[in-house]
PDB file of all heavy atoms in Angstrom:
ATOM      1  N   ILE E 313      -1.618 -81.751 -38.821  1.00  0.00           N
ATOM      2  CA  ILE E 313      -0.282 -81.853 -39.395  1.00  0.00           C
ATOM      3  C   ILE E 313       0.528 -80.650 -39.101  1.00  0.00           C
ATOM      4  O   ILE E 313       1.691 -80.751 -38.869  1.00  0.00           O
ATOM      5  CB  ILE E 313      -0.312 -82.162 -40.912  1.00  0.00           C
ATOM      6  CG1 ILE E 313      -0.983 -81.114 -41.662  1.00  0.00           C
ATOM      7  CG2 ILE E 313      -0.898 -83.572 -41.159  1.00  0.00           C
ATOM      8  CD1 ILE E 313      -0.719 -81.301 -43.182  1.00  0.00           C
ATOM      9  N   GLY E 314      -0.118 -79.540 -38.870  1.00  0.00           N
ATOM     10  CA  GLY E 314       0.633 -78.360 -38.453  1.00  0.00           C
ATOM     11  C   GLY E 314       1.192 -78.505 -37.073  1.00  0.00           C
ATOM     12  O   GLY E 314       2.414 -78.360 -36.814  1.00  0.00           O
ATOM     13  N   GLU E 315       0.367 -78.927 -36.173  1.00  0.00           N
ATOM     14  CA  GLU E 315       0.818 -79.146 -34.779  1.00  0.00           C
ATOM     15  C   GLU E 315       1.726 -80.226 -34.612  1.00  0.00           C
ATOM     16  O   GLU E 315       2.712 -80.210 -33.719  1.00  0.00           O
ATOM     17  CB  GLU E 315      -0.424 -79.178 -33.866  1.00  0.00           C
ATOM     18  CG  GLU E 315      -1.239 -78.034 -33.938  1.00  0.00           C
ATOM     19  CD  GLU E 315      -1.758 -77.544 -32.563  1.00  0.00           C
ATOM     20  OE1 GLU E 315      -1.437 -78.276 -31.523  1.00  0.00           O
ATOM     21  OE2 GLU E 315      -2.493 -76.544 -32.479  1.00  0.00           O
ATOM     22  N   ARG E 316       1.594 -81.276 -35.338  1.00  0.00           N
ATOM     23  CA  ARG E 316       2.467 -82.426 -35.316  1.00  0.00           C
ATOM     24  C   ARG E 316       3.904 -82.026 -35.642  1.00  0.00           C
ATOM     25  O   ARG E 316       4.902 -82.537 -35.257  1.00  0.00           O
ATOM     26  CB  ARG E 316       1.990 -83.534 -36.184  1.00  0.00           C
ATOM     27  CG  ARG E 316       0.885 -84.366 -35.610  1.00  0.00           C
ATOM     28  CD  ARG E 316       1.421 -85.272 -34.460  1.00  0.00           C
ATOM     29  NE  ARG E 316       0.277 -86.026 -33.860  1.00  0.00           N
ATOM     30  CZ  ARG E 316       0.509 -87.002 -32.987  1.00  0.00           C
ATOM     31  NH1 ARG E 316       1.729 -87.311 -32.560  1.00  0.00           N
ATOM     32  NH2 ARG E 316      -0.480 -87.667 -32.498  1.00  0.00           N
ATOM     33  N   SER E 317       4.058 -80.945 -36.537  1.00  0.00           N
ATOM     34  CA  SER E 317       5.227 -80.502 -36.913  1.00  0.00           C
ATOM     35  C   SER E 317       5.725 -79.338 -35.998  1.00  0.00           C
ATOM     36  O   SER E 317       6.717 -78.788 -36.214  1.00  0.00           O
ATOM     37  CB  SER E 317       5.319 -80.108 -38.331  1.00  0.00           C
ATOM     38  OG  SER E 317       4.635 -78.886 -38.638  1.00  0.00           O
ATOM     39  N   GLY E 318       4.917 -78.849 -35.077  1.00  0.00           N
ATOM     40  CA  GLY E 318       5.271 -77.868 -34.135  1.00  0.00           C
ATOM     41  C   GLY E 318       4.782 -76.570 -34.338  1.00  0.00           C
ATOM     42  O   GLY E 318       5.249 -75.578 -33.769  1.00  0.00           O
ATOM     43  N   VAL E 319       3.739 -76.393 -35.217  1.00  0.00           N
ATOM     44  CA  VAL E 319       3.181 -75.135 -35.442  1.00  0.00           C
ATOM     45  C   VAL E 319       1.697 -75.098 -35.092  1.00  0.00           C
ATOM     46  O   VAL E 319       0.901 -75.778 -35.709  1.00  0.00           O
ATOM     47  CB  VAL E 319       3.404 -74.614 -36.883  1.00  0.00           C
ATOM     48  CG1 VAL E 319       2.708 -73.229 -37.130  1.00  0.00           C
ATOM     49  CG2 VAL E 319       4.806 -74.603 -37.244  1.00  0.00           C
ATOM     50  N   VAL E 320       1.380 -74.227 -34.123  1.00  0.00           N
ATOM     51  CA  VAL E 320      -0.042 -74.119 -33.688  1.00  0.00           C
ATOM     52  C   VAL E 320      -0.754 -73.271 -34.777  1.00  0.00           C
ATOM     53  O   VAL E 320      -0.262 -72.266 -35.205  1.00  0.00           O
ATOM     54  CB  VAL E 320      -0.134 -73.388 -32.400  1.00  0.00           C
ATOM     55  CG1 VAL E 320      -1.569 -72.919 -32.123  1.00  0.00           C
ATOM     56  CG2 VAL E 320       0.252 -74.327 -31.249  1.00  0.00           C
ATOM     57  N   ASN E 321      -1.935 -73.724 -35.115  1.00  0.00           N
ATOM     58  CA  ASN E 321      -2.643 -73.032 -36.225  1.00  0.00           C
ATOM     59  C   ASN E 321      -4.076 -72.563 -35.661  1.00  0.00           C
ATOM     60  O   ASN E 321      -4.984 -73.315 -35.694  1.00  0.00           O
ATOM     61  CB  ASN E 321      -2.892 -73.953 -37.457  1.00  0.00           C
ATOM     62  CG  ASN E 321      -3.311 -73.236 -38.626  1.00  0.00           C
ATOM     63  OD1 ASN E 321      -3.777 -72.121 -38.503  1.00  0.00           O
ATOM     64  ND2 ASN E 321      -3.272 -73.817 -39.785  1.00  0.00           N
ATOM     65  N   ILE E 322      -4.063 -71.295 -35.254  1.00  0.00           N
ATOM     66  CA  ILE E 322      -5.302 -70.716 -34.824  1.00  0.00           C
ATOM     67  C   ILE E 322      -5.988 -70.085 -36.054  1.00  0.00           C
ATOM     68  O   ILE E 322      -7.228 -69.748 -36.005  1.00  0.00           O
ATOM     69  CB  ILE E 322      -4.984 -69.609 -33.758  1.00  0.00           C
ATOM     70  CG1 ILE E 322      -4.390 -70.080 -32.522  1.00  0.00           C
ATOM     71  CG2 ILE E 322      -6.180 -68.698 -33.486  1.00  0.00           C
ATOM     72  CD1 ILE E 322      -5.392 -70.733 -31.616  1.00  0.00           C
ATOM     73  N   GLY E 323      -5.331 -70.050 -37.212  1.00  0.00           N
ATOM     74  CA  GLY E 323      -5.863 -69.407 -38.378  1.00  0.00           C
ATOM     75  C   GLY E 323      -6.613 -70.314 -39.263  1.00  0.00           C
ATOM     76  O   GLY E 323      -6.913 -69.973 -40.473  1.00  0.00           O
ATOM     77  N   ILE E 324      -7.083 -71.560 -38.825  1.00  0.00           N
ATOM     78  CA  ILE E 324      -7.815 -72.443 -39.631  1.00  0.00           C
ATOM     79  C   ILE E 324      -8.990 -71.700 -40.225  1.00  0.00           C
ATOM     80  O   ILE E 324      -9.376 -71.750 -41.402  1.00  0.00           O
ATOM     81  CB  ILE E 324      -8.297 -73.724 -38.917  1.00  0.00           C
ATOM     82  CG1 ILE E 324      -7.094 -74.376 -38.392  1.00  0.00           C
ATOM     83  CG2 ILE E 324      -9.014 -74.649 -39.817  1.00  0.00           C
ATOM     84  CD1 ILE E 324      -7.330 -75.586 -37.459  1.00  0.00           C
ATOM     85  N   GLU E 325      -9.724 -70.955 -39.414  1.00  0.00           N
ATOM     86  CA  GLU E 325     -10.904 -70.223 -39.652  1.00  0.00           C
ATOM     87  C   GLU E 325     -10.655 -69.277 -40.888  1.00  0.00           C
ATOM     88  O   GLU E 325     -11.432 -69.305 -41.881  1.00  0.00           O
ATOM     89  CB  GLU E 325     -11.424 -69.448 -38.501  1.00  0.00           C
ATOM     90  CG  GLU E 325     -12.556 -68.544 -38.765  1.00  0.00           C
ATOM     91  CD  GLU E 325     -13.908 -69.318 -38.548  1.00  0.00           C
ATOM     92  OE1 GLU E 325     -13.883 -70.467 -38.152  1.00  0.00           O
ATOM     93  OE2 GLU E 325     -14.940 -68.653 -38.806  1.00  0.00           O
ATOM     94  N   GLY E 326      -9.607 -68.605 -40.800  1.00  0.00           N
ATOM     95  CA  GLY E 326      -9.217 -67.594 -41.848  1.00  0.00           C
ATOM     96  C   GLY E 326      -8.855 -68.243 -43.146  1.00  0.00           C
ATOM     97  O   GLY E 326      -9.275 -67.794 -44.276  1.00  0.00           O
ATOM     98  N   GLN E 327      -8.159 -69.357 -43.003  1.00  0.00           N
ATOM     99  CA  GLN E 327      -7.741 -70.103 -44.273  1.00  0.00           C
ATOM    100  C   GLN E 327      -8.933 -70.622 -44.968  1.00  0.00           C
ATOM    101  O   GLN E 327      -9.065 -70.566 -46.115  1.00  0.00           O
ATOM    102  CB  GLN E 327      -6.801 -71.229 -43.885  1.00  0.00           C
ATOM    103  CG  GLN E 327      -5.452 -70.722 -43.246  1.00  0.00           C
ATOM    104  CD  GLN E 327      -4.601 -71.794 -42.718  1.00  0.00           C
ATOM    105  OE1 GLN E 327      -5.043 -72.731 -42.047  1.00  0.00           O
ATOM    106  NE2 GLN E 327      -3.264 -71.657 -42.893  1.00  0.00           N
ATOM    107  N   MET E 328      -9.927 -71.213 -44.142  1.00  0.00           N
ATOM    108  CA  MET E 328     -11.170 -71.695 -44.706  1.00  0.00           C
ATOM    109  C   MET E 328     -11.932 -70.594 -45.441  1.00  0.00           C
ATOM    110  O   MET E 328     -12.393 -70.765 -46.527  1.00  0.00           O
ATOM    111  CB  MET E 328     -12.001 -72.153 -43.565  1.00  0.00           C
ATOM    112  CG  MET E 328     -12.095 -73.668 -43.460  1.00  0.00           C
ATOM    113  SD  MET E 328     -13.415 -74.048 -42.281  1.00  0.00           S
ATOM    114  CE  MET E 328     -12.702 -75.392 -41.491  1.00  0.00           C
ATOM    115  N   LEU E 329     -12.006 -69.438 -44.697  1.00  0.00           N
ATOM    116  CA  LEU E 329     -12.888 -68.370 -45.232  1.00  0.00           C
ATOM    117  C   LEU E 329     -12.300 -67.865 -46.545  1.00  0.00           C
ATOM    118  O   LEU E 329     -13.040 -67.601 -47.518  1.00  0.00           O
ATOM    119  CB  LEU E 329     -12.992 -67.242 -44.147  1.00  0.00           C
ATOM    120  CG  LEU E 329     -13.858 -66.083 -44.534  1.00  0.00           C
ATOM    121  CD1 LEU E 329     -15.311 -66.575 -44.643  1.00  0.00           C
ATOM    122  CD2 LEU E 329     -13.765 -64.957 -43.549  1.00  0.00           C
ATOM    123  N   MET E 330     -11.054 -67.600 -46.572  1.00  0.00           N
ATOM    124  CA  MET E 330     -10.300 -67.102 -47.715  1.00  0.00           C
ATOM    125  C   MET E 330     -10.557 -68.090 -48.908  1.00  0.00           C
ATOM    126  O   MET E 330     -10.874 -67.689 -50.030  1.00  0.00           O
ATOM    127  CB  MET E 330      -8.854 -67.008 -47.442  1.00  0.00           C
ATOM    128  CG  MET E 330      -8.067 -66.258 -48.441  1.00  0.00           C
ATOM    129  SD  MET E 330      -8.675 -64.541 -48.454  1.00  0.00           S
ATOM    130  CE  MET E 330      -7.153 -63.742 -48.639  1.00  0.00           C
ATOM    131  N   ALA E 331     -10.275 -69.416 -48.605  1.00  0.00           N
ATOM    132  CA  ALA E 331     -10.413 -70.405 -49.680  1.00  0.00           C
ATOM    133  C   ALA E 331     -11.901 -70.505 -50.219  1.00  0.00           C
ATOM    134  O   ALA E 331     -12.138 -70.643 -51.357  1.00  0.00           O
ATOM    135  CB  ALA E 331      -9.939 -71.765 -49.204  1.00  0.00           C
ATOM    136  N   ALA E 332     -12.841 -70.376 -49.318  1.00  0.00           N
ATOM    137  CA  ALA E 332     -14.190 -70.422 -49.654  1.00  0.00           C
ATOM    138  C   ALA E 332     -14.565 -69.300 -50.626  1.00  0.00           C
ATOM    139  O   ALA E 332     -15.175 -69.525 -51.710  1.00  0.00           O
ATOM    140  CB  ALA E 332     -15.149 -70.291 -48.461  1.00  0.00           C
ATOM    141  N   PHE E 333     -13.984 -68.155 -50.327  1.00  0.00           N
ATOM    142  CA  PHE E 333     -14.193 -66.945 -51.136  1.00  0.00           C
ATOM    143  C   PHE E 333     -13.570 -67.148 -52.574  1.00  0.00           C
ATOM    144  O   PHE E 333     -14.168 -66.914 -53.550  1.00  0.00           O
ATOM    145  CB  PHE E 333     -13.637 -65.734 -50.436  1.00  0.00           C
ATOM    146  CG  PHE E 333     -13.831 -64.479 -51.227  1.00  0.00           C
ATOM    147  CD1 PHE E 333     -15.127 -63.935 -51.441  1.00  0.00           C
ATOM    148  CD2 PHE E 333     -12.805 -63.738 -51.588  1.00  0.00           C
ATOM    149  CE1 PHE E 333     -15.329 -62.830 -52.112  1.00  0.00           C
ATOM    150  CE2 PHE E 333     -13.001 -62.517 -52.291  1.00  0.00           C
ATOM    151  CZ  PHE E 333     -14.219 -62.047 -52.489  1.00  0.00           C
ATOM    152  N   VAL E 334     -12.248 -67.524 -52.527  1.00  0.00           N
ATOM    153  CA  VAL E 334     -11.464 -67.632 -53.749  1.00  0.00           C
ATOM    154  C   VAL E 334     -12.154 -68.733 -54.619  1.00  0.00           C
ATOM    155  O   VAL E 334     -12.239 -68.596 -55.882  1.00  0.00           O
ATOM    156  CB  VAL E 334      -9.964 -67.908 -53.476  1.00  0.00           C
ATOM    157  CG1 VAL E 334      -9.348 -68.208 -54.732  1.00  0.00           C
ATOM    158  CG2 VAL E 334      -9.406 -66.665 -52.796  1.00  0.00           C
ATOM    159  N   ALA E 335     -12.479 -69.847 -53.978  1.00  0.00           N
ATOM    160  CA  ALA E 335     -13.059 -70.921 -54.717  1.00  0.00           C
ATOM    161  C   ALA E 335     -14.379 -70.535 -55.439  1.00  0.00           C
ATOM    162  O   ALA E 335     -14.739 -70.845 -56.520  1.00  0.00           O
ATOM    163  CB  ALA E 335     -13.328 -72.144 -53.793  1.00  0.00           C
ATOM    164  N   PHE E 336     -15.100 -69.749 -54.644  1.00  0.00           N
ATOM    165  CA  PHE E 336     -16.464 -69.210 -55.190  1.00  0.00           C
ATOM    166  C   PHE E 336     -16.179 -68.358 -56.389  1.00  0.00           C
ATOM    167  O   PHE E 336     -16.822 -68.538 -57.500  1.00  0.00           O
ATOM    168  CB  PHE E 336     -17.183 -68.525 -54.084  1.00  0.00           C
ATOM    169  CG  PHE E 336     -18.416 -67.734 -54.543  1.00  0.00           C
ATOM    170  CD1 PHE E 336     -19.507 -68.471 -55.012  1.00  0.00           C
ATOM    171  CD2 PHE E 336     -18.458 -66.340 -54.641  1.00  0.00           C
ATOM    172  CE1 PHE E 336     -20.708 -67.845 -55.473  1.00  0.00           C
ATOM    173  CE2 PHE E 336     -19.596 -65.723 -55.096  1.00  0.00           C
ATOM    174  CZ  PHE E 336     -20.745 -66.458 -55.422  1.00  0.00           C
ATOM    175  N   LEU E 337     -15.271 -67.388 -56.228  1.00  0.00           N
ATOM    176  CA  LEU E 337     -14.927 -66.455 -57.378  1.00  0.00           C
ATOM    177  C   LEU E 337     -14.476 -67.278 -58.558  1.00  0.00           C
ATOM    178  O   LEU E 337     -14.861 -67.055 -59.736  1.00  0.00           O
ATOM    179  CB  LEU E 337     -13.871 -65.507 -56.936  1.00  0.00           C
ATOM    180  CG  LEU E 337     -14.261 -64.352 -56.015  1.00  0.00           C
ATOM    181  CD1 LEU E 337     -13.184 -63.376 -55.916  1.00  0.00           C
ATOM    182  CD2 LEU E 337     -15.561 -63.625 -56.577  1.00  0.00           C
ATOM    183  N   ALA E 338     -13.628 -68.235 -58.386  1.00  0.00           N
ATOM    184  CA  ALA E 338     -13.042 -69.120 -59.450  1.00  0.00           C
ATOM    185  C   ALA E 338     -14.231 -69.831 -60.127  1.00  0.00           C
ATOM    186  O   ALA E 338     -14.275 -69.914 -61.337  1.00  0.00           O
ATOM    187  CB  ALA E 338     -12.075 -70.100 -58.873  1.00  0.00           C
ATOM    188  N   ASN E 339     -15.108 -70.308 -59.345  1.00  0.00           N
ATOM    189  CA  ASN E 339     -16.253 -71.003 -59.962  1.00  0.00           C
ATOM    190  C   ASN E 339     -17.150 -70.112 -60.877  1.00  0.00           C
ATOM    191  O   ASN E 339     -17.637 -70.418 -61.864  1.00  0.00           O
ATOM    192  CB  ASN E 339     -17.157 -71.714 -58.856  1.00  0.00           C
ATOM    193  CG  ASN E 339     -18.256 -72.574 -59.496  1.00  0.00           C
ATOM    194  OD1 ASN E 339     -17.986 -73.209 -60.545  1.00  0.00           O
ATOM    195  ND2 ASN E 339     -19.349 -72.671 -58.843  1.00  0.00           N
ATOM    196  N   VAL E 340     -17.355 -68.866 -60.303  1.00  0.00           N
ATOM    197  CA  VAL E 340     -18.140 -67.871 -60.961  1.00  0.00           C
ATOM    198  C   VAL E 340     -17.523 -67.491 -62.292  1.00  0.00           C
ATOM    199  O   VAL E 340     -18.188 -67.408 -63.336  1.00  0.00           O
ATOM    200  CB  VAL E 340     -18.423 -66.618 -60.067  1.00  0.00           C
ATOM    201  CG1 VAL E 340     -18.973 -65.537 -60.971  1.00  0.00           C
ATOM    202  CG2 VAL E 340     -19.312 -66.984 -58.994  1.00  0.00           C
ATOM    203  N   TYR E 341     -16.227 -67.246 -62.257  1.00  0.00           N
ATOM    204  CA  TYR E 341     -15.676 -66.779 -63.554  1.00  0.00           C
ATOM    205  C   TYR E 341     -15.121 -67.840 -64.422  1.00  0.00           C
ATOM    206  O   TYR E 341     -14.979 -67.613 -65.636  1.00  0.00           O
ATOM    207  CB  TYR E 341     -14.400 -65.857 -63.147  1.00  0.00           C
ATOM    208  CG  TYR E 341     -14.954 -64.569 -62.524  1.00  0.00           C
ATOM    209  CD1 TYR E 341     -14.629 -64.254 -61.244  1.00  0.00           C
ATOM    210  CD2 TYR E 341     -15.768 -63.677 -63.252  1.00  0.00           C
ATOM    211  CE1 TYR E 341     -15.128 -63.066 -60.692  1.00  0.00           C
ATOM    212  CE2 TYR E 341     -16.275 -62.467 -62.701  1.00  0.00           C
ATOM    213  CZ  TYR E 341     -15.895 -62.129 -61.429  1.00  0.00           C
ATOM    214  OH  TYR E 341     -16.382 -61.104 -60.830  1.00  0.00           O
ATOM    215  N   LEU E 342     -14.817 -69.109 -63.887  1.00  0.00           N
ATOM    216  CA  LEU E 342     -14.338 -70.149 -64.829  1.00  0.00           C
ATOM    217  C   LEU E 342     -15.465 -71.060 -65.167  1.00  0.00           C
ATOM    218  O   LEU E 342     -15.382 -71.808 -66.134  1.00  0.00           O
ATOM    219  CB  LEU E 342     -13.191 -70.859 -64.167  1.00  0.00           C
ATOM    220  CG  LEU E 342     -11.921 -70.015 -63.853  1.00  0.00           C
ATOM    221  CD1 LEU E 342     -10.864 -70.932 -63.157  1.00  0.00           C
ATOM    222  CD2 LEU E 342     -11.309 -69.436 -65.113  1.00  0.00           C
ATOM    223  N   GLY E 343     -16.347 -71.300 -64.230  1.00  0.00           N
ATOM    224  CA  GLY E 343     -17.508 -72.121 -64.414  1.00  0.00           C
ATOM    225  C   GLY E 343     -17.051 -73.619 -64.352  1.00  0.00           C
ATOM    226  O   GLY E 343     -17.725 -74.494 -64.890  1.00  0.00           O
ATOM    227  N   ASN E 344     -15.882 -73.861 -63.740  1.00  0.00           N
ATOM    228  CA  ASN E 344     -15.500 -75.269 -63.616  1.00  0.00           C
ATOM    229  C   ASN E 344     -15.207 -75.556 -62.122  1.00  0.00           C
ATOM    230  O   ASN E 344     -14.363 -75.056 -61.535  1.00  0.00           O
ATOM    231  CB  ASN E 344     -14.168 -75.427 -64.327  1.00  0.00           C
ATOM    232  CG  ASN E 344     -13.656 -76.822 -64.397  1.00  0.00           C
ATOM    233  OD1 ASN E 344     -13.894 -77.639 -63.481  1.00  0.00           O
ATOM    234  ND2 ASN E 344     -13.022 -77.256 -65.456  1.00  0.00           N
ATOM    235  N   LEU E 345     -16.054 -76.500 -61.613  1.00  0.00           N
ATOM    236  CA  LEU E 345     -16.079 -76.820 -60.168  1.00  0.00           C
ATOM    237  C   LEU E 345     -14.701 -77.426 -59.810  1.00  0.00           C
ATOM    238  O   LEU E 345     -14.191 -77.145 -58.728  1.00  0.00           O
ATOM    239  CB  LEU E 345     -17.204 -77.779 -59.817  1.00  0.00           C
ATOM    240  CG  LEU E 345     -18.558 -77.098 -59.800  1.00  0.00           C
ATOM    241  CD1 LEU E 345     -19.687 -78.226 -59.898  1.00  0.00           C
ATOM    242  CD2 LEU E 345     -18.645 -76.316 -58.516  1.00  0.00           C
ATOM    243  N   TRP E 346     -14.089 -78.271 -60.605  1.00  0.00           N
ATOM    244  CA  TRP E 346     -12.860 -78.971 -60.272  1.00  0.00           C
ATOM    245  C   TRP E 346     -11.730 -77.964 -60.209  1.00  0.00           C
ATOM    246  O   TRP E 346     -10.932 -77.964 -59.263  1.00  0.00           O
ATOM    247  CB  TRP E 346     -12.482 -80.025 -61.255  1.00  0.00           C
ATOM    248  CG  TRP E 346     -13.528 -81.163 -61.222  1.00  0.00           C
ATOM    249  CD1 TRP E 346     -14.631 -81.330 -62.032  1.00  0.00           C
ATOM    250  CD2 TRP E 346     -13.659 -82.160 -60.214  1.00  0.00           C
ATOM    251  NE1 TRP E 346     -15.395 -82.426 -61.652  1.00  0.00           N
ATOM    252  CE2 TRP E 346     -14.792 -83.033 -60.571  1.00  0.00           C
ATOM    253  CE3 TRP E 346     -12.893 -82.519 -59.095  1.00  0.00           C
ATOM    254  CZ2 TRP E 346     -15.190 -84.106 -59.819  1.00  0.00           C
ATOM    255  CZ3 TRP E 346     -13.241 -83.655 -58.338  1.00  0.00           C
ATOM    256  CH2 TRP E 346     -14.420 -84.437 -58.725  1.00  0.00           C
TER     257      TRP E 346
END
Side-chain angles (χ1 to χ4, degrees):
Chain E
I313 61 169
E315 299 221 358
R316 281 288 180 170
S317 72
V319 180
V320 165
N321 192 343
I322 292 284
I324 303 174
E325 176 84 4
Q327 293 171 323
M328 253 190 217
L329 185 65
M330 191 67 139
F333 182 64
V334 172
F336 173 69
L337 285 186
N339 187 33
V340 167
Y341 291 115
L342 300 175
N344 184 329
L345 287 162
W346 295 99

